[in-house]
Amino acid sequence: MNFKQFIKKERQLWHDRFFPGILAALAIAILAFFFEFSGHDIVLLTSIAASIAIITHKHPHKLVILGTTYYSYFLAIVIGFILFFIKQKFIISLPILIFIGVLGSLLIIYALNFFHPPAIGITVGIIIYGKSIFNLFIILALTLLLFFLLKILMYFYYNHLDIRKFKQEFKFV
């Protein structure tokens, strides 16, 4: 590969990732603007940011489809809330709860064969979340909506993705 081919290839890579990168950063900035993230609950924001970076990827893959993301997040949210309420009722150290949350989420997501790694961070974020539970529900609902909207935008941005096949994003692979 000569220098001109290398530059052309690098320019194409830059073009393919620039717009999705801007969308991902903008989406996280919007969430951060509407909700005050600080301290321990920043884990939620970082997990969401990692998921957004993954779902805006160009090539279809099991990790990139919305179904995998939603199923993983659903399980992580359920496990997180169970442990959050256990934390409220019983005196269990935070590291133990986090260990149980990460291990439980990881094993269940692996066993059910829909693995989206950033979802495990949502379990931890819920366990250590220190603000209103209502705000947490709003953040999680907006996050899932945001994933949906970003994925639709990716279908319009990338030429090889056919919007008529969007329903395949929710197939259980």
Side-chain angles (χ1 to χ4, degrees), residues 34-161:
F34 285 113
F35 298 97
E36 188 176 317
F37 289 94
S38 61
H40 296 306
D41 55 335
I42 202 74
V43 174
L44 291 170
L45 195 61
T46 57
S47 179
I48 294 166
S51 291
I52 287 174
I54 289 172
I55 65 172
T56 58
H57 193 270
K58 179 179 183 175
H59 299 290
H61 183 273
K62 185 176 180 177
L63 277 176
V64 180
I65 65 171
L66 279 178
T68 300
T69 305
Y70 280 180
Y71 301 138
S72 296
Y73 264 74
F74 176 75
L75 277 176
I77 289 168
V78 168
I79 293 168
F81 275 116
I82 289 169
L83 293 173
F84 179 83
F85 290 119
I86 287 173
K87 180 179 90 171
Q88 303 298 320
K89 299 289 182 194
F90 302 102
I91 300 171
I92 301 174
S93 72
L94 192 58
I96 300 257
L97 285 171
I98 290 172
F99 173 79
I100 293 168
V102 169
L103 181 63
S105 296
L106 185 66
L107 292 177
I108 291 171
I109 290 169
Y110 266 141
L112 295 175
N113 196 25
F114 42 87
F115 186 66
H116 183 77
I120 295 167
I122 287 295
T123 300
V124 174
I126 292 170
I127 293 169
I128 62 178
Y129 192 74
K131 296 182 182 144
S132 162
I133 214 76
F134 179 73
N135 281 354
L136 185 58
F137 277 115
I138 300 270
I139 291 168
L140 295 172
L142 286 176
T143 297
L144 297 177
L145 177 64
L146 190 63
F147 290 167
F148 182 82
L149 294 174
L150 284 172
K151 196 60 175 187
I152 286 177
L153 284 173
M154 292 301 96
Y155 267 77
F156 288 110
Y157 180 70
Y158 293 126
N159 294 332
H160 71 281
L161 295 175

